[in-house]
Every structure is written in structure tokens, then in C-alpha cells.
Amino acid sequence: MALIKSVRGFTPKIGKDTFLADNATIIGDVEIGEGCSIWFGTILRGDVNSIRIGNGVNIQDGSVLHTLYEKSTIEIGDDVSVGHNVTIHGAKICNGALIGMGSVVLDHAVIGEGAIVAAGSVVLSKTIVEPGSIYAGVPAKFVKKVDPEQAKEINQKIAKNYHMYSSWYKEEGDK
């Protein structure tokens, strides 16, 4: 069972039909929407400030979400995919965005709607990633715009696939 821990008077709130892997850790001022999946070894540490996650979000294995005390929060929109081993620290990720495996997104960065951050990228503090664009590299830079419908289709397909994958982990009595 996932570790869900209250701290400083804040208890995490988990939306219905949300999968929490057995060793996921959810701490403090965290709110997770409906139909999400929080995968193995993932840590959502809302001990120093808030983490808000929309509906249909998947946060994949080994990812860490944290903030700066009284200075930054995390806000993640709907249908966002956060790849394996991603670090998000006090950033905003808009609806339908995709954060590639092993990426780092730092405080006060904003990842626009439908944007893609390529695997292994480092999005520096206060960077604004335009909606429908691809950013890549260290530090992450603009690569190109993507067709909004194509990006939406790809990003939503990944989000929906992760919802399906999470259903495989439900106990027989829960189905």
C-alpha cells in the first residue's frame, strides 16, 4: 500500500479511480484528481508547499515532485504524462503536456498546453515553454512547433494508455 502521510496539518487528497503504486509516497499538501496513476517509487512531497494534480495524469516510476518553502508550488493540469525519473520542482505543467523521461523542470517554469519536453532535458527556472512546442537539451531550448492536433493526439494517447495500465493492478475484487 502506498505511503500516505500527513504533515503540518495537511493530509493528501486522492481522487476517485486513482492508482497509487504500492511504494509510491504521497506527503502533506497534495491533491490528486480523478483517474490518475502514481507509479512505483514516485514521491510527491507536499511538506513545504502545495502540489495540485488534475485529472487523468500519470506520474511514472521514480519521479520526484517537490517545491520551495513559501516560494513555489506545483500545478499540473489534466491529461499530463510525466515520464520515468522526472524531477519537477515548483513548476506549472499545463493540460496535455508531456515531460520526457529523466527530465528536470525547475521552479517557476511553465510548460504550456500540449508542449513536449524531450527526454533528459533540463528546463531552467522561470523558463516559459510555449504551448504546442518541443523543447530539448541541457538547458532545454526551443526545437520546433508541433501540430496542435497531432500533439494532443499523441499526449492524450499516452495518458489514456497509463490509465489502462493502472487497471491491470487492481485487485480482482476491485474491478
Side-chain angles (χ1 to χ4, degrees), residues 82-93:
V82 175
H84 309 294
N85 294 311
V86 166
T87 299
I88 299 174
H89 204 279
K92 179 178 181 178
I93 316 295

Side-chain angles (χ1 to χ4, degrees), residues 32-158:
I32 301 171
E34 297 180 1
C36 295
S37 57
I38 312 300
W39 290 88
F40 298 96
T42 294
I43 300 169
L44 308 181
R45 205 173 116 209
D47 55 352
V48 301
N49 220 330
S50 65
I51 297 173
R52 300 292 179 261
I53 297 169
N55 300 316
V57 173
N58 64 89
I59 302 177
Q60 299 169 23
D61 313 68
S63 293
V64 176
L65 280 63
H66 197 237
T67 62
L68 286 172
Y69 181 59
E70 297 181 342
K71 292 189 177 176
S72 67
T73 62
I74 291 177
E75 182 183 336
I76 297 178
D78 297 334
D79 300 316
V80 169
S81 291
V82 175
H84 309 294
N85 294 311
V86 166
T87 299
I88 299 174
H89 204 279
K92 179 178 181 178
I93 316 295
C94 296
N95 294 342
L98 170 64
I99 311 300
M101 295 181 288
S103 294
V104 176
V105 183
L106 295 173
D107 296 282
H108 308 292
V110 177
I111 310 302
E113 186 169 345
I116 298 170
V117 174
S121 298
V122 176
V123 179
L124 297 177
S125 183
K126 300 180 184 173
T127 300
I128 306 297
V129 173
E130 297 86 10
S133 62
I134 298 175
Y135 270 56
V138 179
K141 301 281 186 205
F142 175 81
V143 174
K144 68 179 185 176
K145 288 295 246 183
V146 291
D147 176 79
E149 285 305 310
Q150 185 180 20
K152 183 176 181 181
E153 181 181 329
I154 291 168
N155 295 355
Q156 283 187 344
K157 181 179 181 182
I158 293 167

